[in-house]
Amino acid sequence: MNLSSMASLAAASLLLCKLLFTPEVAAFASNHPPRCIDEKSTRKNTLNLPYPRLQIEARRIDALECNARSERTDSTHEEGYGRRRRDVEFLSPLLHDGYPPAVDESNRMTLQTKPVLLYLPGFDGTVLAPFLQFPSLGEEFDVRAMRVSMDDRSTFDELKAEVVGYVKRECAASGGDGSDGGRSVYLMGESFGGILATQVSVELYGRESVDLRGLILVNPATCYKRSGLYELGPSVANNPISTPVLSDLVYIYQLATDLVPLFLDRGVALNQLIAILSSRGLPAVVNSATREAYMGRVAFDLANRLKFMPKPTLKWRLEEWLEYGCDIFEDQLRSPKGNGDEAEALRSMARGLRTLIVAGEHDLTLPSIDEAERLSSEVFRDVSVHVVPDAGHASTCGGTLNLIRLIRETFHEDFGNIEESNSRTSSELFGLEPRYDGASIGLSPLKYWSNKYYSRSSQ
């Protein structure tokens, strides 16, 4: 196998790795930890939830802006339930991975004139799931993302506060105090991030200081308590075996047999992998050598980015993120009109904020099709729904989806006229398109880090 074939194998393997590891991985660590400043605050649990809640005294951390346009919360503090670490980072994935068009815009100070698209991840906390979409999204947006490390123990309310604070700071940096309207902001939440993005939108919608223009939900976990993950996940996270080695072995076995299958599709990712390896096709959004090199660089760095999710982390995120967040949303929906500020804020946001919902056709993790129908008919009023054919939970933002085109169609008033689609996808390529260059072999990995295809920001 030559180098180009090896590169294609590495890049395409990422599509498969996303499916196999999505619920058990955490994002890669930053190479440049920033300084942080601390401000104390308290989280209060005011909902009548159907299970015991931990009353946790939280600390709100506002991180200083630092290298690669990232902000990071990294703190450890004591509380009644032991030491609890928080490690949340906001970054520009395109700048982080040296994508030349974004770096060039950043160096010329033109990136700051674009609206911000902030991606909020699933409960794995990584920015990997939609990585193929980032370069094309960069045509219209300054793409940002939230990354949460595997040992983070932030509560849902703390995560919400982090996102709200980050968006406010980004707006304020560009006149978001209302003097000139600030930068437009679009929130994109995937799976658990869909719950978080909805609640952040409730908080921000209608504020004069924040120009929130749109909400994008991908397989939103607002339906978590009606899902296969809710049926199987808690038993995996709470197995009663006390012997450490045996408990770990049982946990790994249950992950492999019970949870991982929920995130798979019906073989589409494998067939796409074969098509990429044979140089017959690429994802529609990988339509240039620069994007192919970007895809290859991310693939080669998989070993640093994919990490195992420990059982305590799974337990925390199922209970403190998914279940708690889902209960908040349902409580707001059930609240009678005129009873509760948050419920009224949700109704106001759902009536006025344009929303795009993207669902995988064969999502086994969540009932995403049913949830898209429920949200579009009972909750949101200005809404579009798109179903990704044959996609499972982890592959919804994969090679079949052309997200930037959907966004331009949904928010056409913001992005002007839409050009006619020249998509060349076919069933023979399982949702992929023929290679942009018609070549019979992929781009050499020796070029992935060349000056032509890789850059570092001077900011």
Side-chain angles (χ1 to χ4, degrees), residues 32 144 414 456:
H32 305 281
R144 310 290 182 86
D414 295 338
R456 274 297 183 190

Side-chain angles (χ1 to χ4, degrees), residues 46-180:
T46 59
L47 294 179
N48 182 21
L49 300 180
Y51 58 93
R53 300 291 312 152
L54 299 179
Q55 300 298 321
I56 299 175
E57 181 177 318
R59 298 175 72 191
R60 170 78 185 280
I61 310 299
D62 287 328
L64 296 176
E65 188 166 356
C66 61
N67 186 56
R69 300 182 64 82
S70 67
E71 295 187 9
R72 186 175 183 181
T73 293
D74 193 347
S75 67
T76 303
H77 51 92
E78 299 286 349
E79 58 182 32
Y81 297 91
R83 293 174 65 84
R84 183 166 66 86
R85 185 185 181 196
R86 296 181 58 208
D87 188 357
V88 179
E89 182 178 15
F90 296 93
L91 71 157
S92 167
L94 293 176
L95 295 182
H96 184 279
D97 286 306
Y99 183 63
V103 173
D104 181 59
E105 286 185 303
S106 177
N107 292 340
R108 291 187 289 109
M109 302 297 290
T110 57
L111 188 62
Q112 292 83 340
T113 65
K114 289 183 171 181
V116 171
L117 184 141
L118 177 58
Y119 170 74
L120 305 179
F123 79 108
D124 60 307
T126 76
V127 298
L128 285 176
F131 91 96
L132 289 173
Q133 307 294 329
F134 288 152
S136 58
L137 291 173
E139 295 173 9
E140 301 285 1
F141 299 103
D142 179 0
V143 181
R144 310 290 182 86
M146 180 181 77
R147 180 196 65 84
V148 186
S149 73
M150 198 56 64
D151 57 355
D152 173 84
R153 291 298 182 270
S154 296
T155 64
F156 183 91
D157 291 331
E158 289 170 341
L159 290 177
K160 175 184 170 182
E162 288 285 349
V163 178
V164 169
Y166 180 75
V167 171
K168 288 181 179 179
R169 290 191 296 273
E170 286 304 301
C171 290
S174 300
D177 58 357
S179 59
D180 63 8

Side-chain angles (χ1 to χ4, degrees), residues 160-397:
K160 175 184 170 182
E162 288 285 349
V163 178
V164 169
Y166 180 75
V167 171
K168 288 181 179 179
R169 290 191 296 273
E170 286 304 301
C171 290
S174 300
D177 58 357
S179 59
D180 63 8
R183 301 177 71 180
S184 298
V185 179
Y186 294 75
L187 293 177
M188 174 181 171
E190 182 168 12
S191 192
F192 162 73
I195 306 176
L196 185 58
T198 300
Q199 293 305 310
V200 171
S201 297
V202 170
E203 178 76 15
L204 293 177
Y205 181 74
R207 288 178 176 264
E208 293 183 358
S209 61
V210 178
D211 184 18
L212 181 61
R213 301 290 298 172
L215 176 63
I216 301 153
L217 304 176
V218 181
N219 295 329
T222 46
C223 55
Y224 167 65
K225 297 186 79 171
R226 295 179 282 111
S227 71
L229 181 61
Y230 181 69
E231 293 179 5
L232 299 175
S235 63
V236 175
N238 293 286
N239 82 66
I241 300 174
S242 59
T243 305
V245 174
L246 181 58
S247 177
D248 290 344
L249 290 175
V250 171
Y251 174 63
I252 294 172
Y253 174 78
Q254 288 180 313
L255 283 179
T257 58
D258 293 344
L259 295 193
V260 170
L262 296 178
F263 292 82
L264 304 179
D265 57 30
R266 298 182 177 180
V268 172
L270 178 60
N271 288 318
Q272 289 181 340
L273 173 63
I274 295 172
I276 293 174
L277 287 177
S278 60
S279 296
R280 292 188 295 120
L282 284 172
V285 291
V286 181
N287 57 7
S288 69
T290 302
R291 294 184 183 182
E292 186 176 0
Y294 159 84
M295 180 178 71
R297 286 195 302 274
V298 175
F300 271 110
D301 198 38
L302 271 178
N304 294 325
R305 306 193 184 199
L306 294 175
K307 295 181 182 180
F308 184 74
M309 180 179 282
K311 184 167 69 172
T313 301
L314 176 64
K315 176 179 172 62
W316 179 272
R317 295 183 180 182
L318 290 178
E319 296 177 357
E320 295 293 324
W321 291 10
L322 283 163
E323 190 166 357
Y324 179 71
C326 195
D327 280 325
I328 289 176
F329 181 71
E330 293 300 328
D331 185 76
Q332 292 168 346
L333 290 182
R334 292 193 300 265
S335 178
K337 290 185 178 181
N339 183 16
D341 292 341
E342 287 192 353
E344 288 301 317
L346 172 63
R347 293 186 182 99
S348 176
M349 181 274 291
R351 286 193 301 267
L353 184 63
R354 183 165 296 179
T355 302
L356 169 64
I357 302 174
V358 180
E361 182 182 14
H362 299 309
D363 186 355
L364 301 178
T365 307
L366 303 169
S368 292
I369 299 293
D370 291 343
E371 184 66 358
E373 294 177 354
R374 180 178 80 122
L375 294 178
S376 62
S377 62
E378 300 178 13
V379 181
F380 296 101
R381 294 296 174 260
D382 189 1
V383 60
S384 298
V385 175
H386 177 80
V387 176
V388 181
D390 300 318
H393 188 77
S395 60
T396 300
C397 280

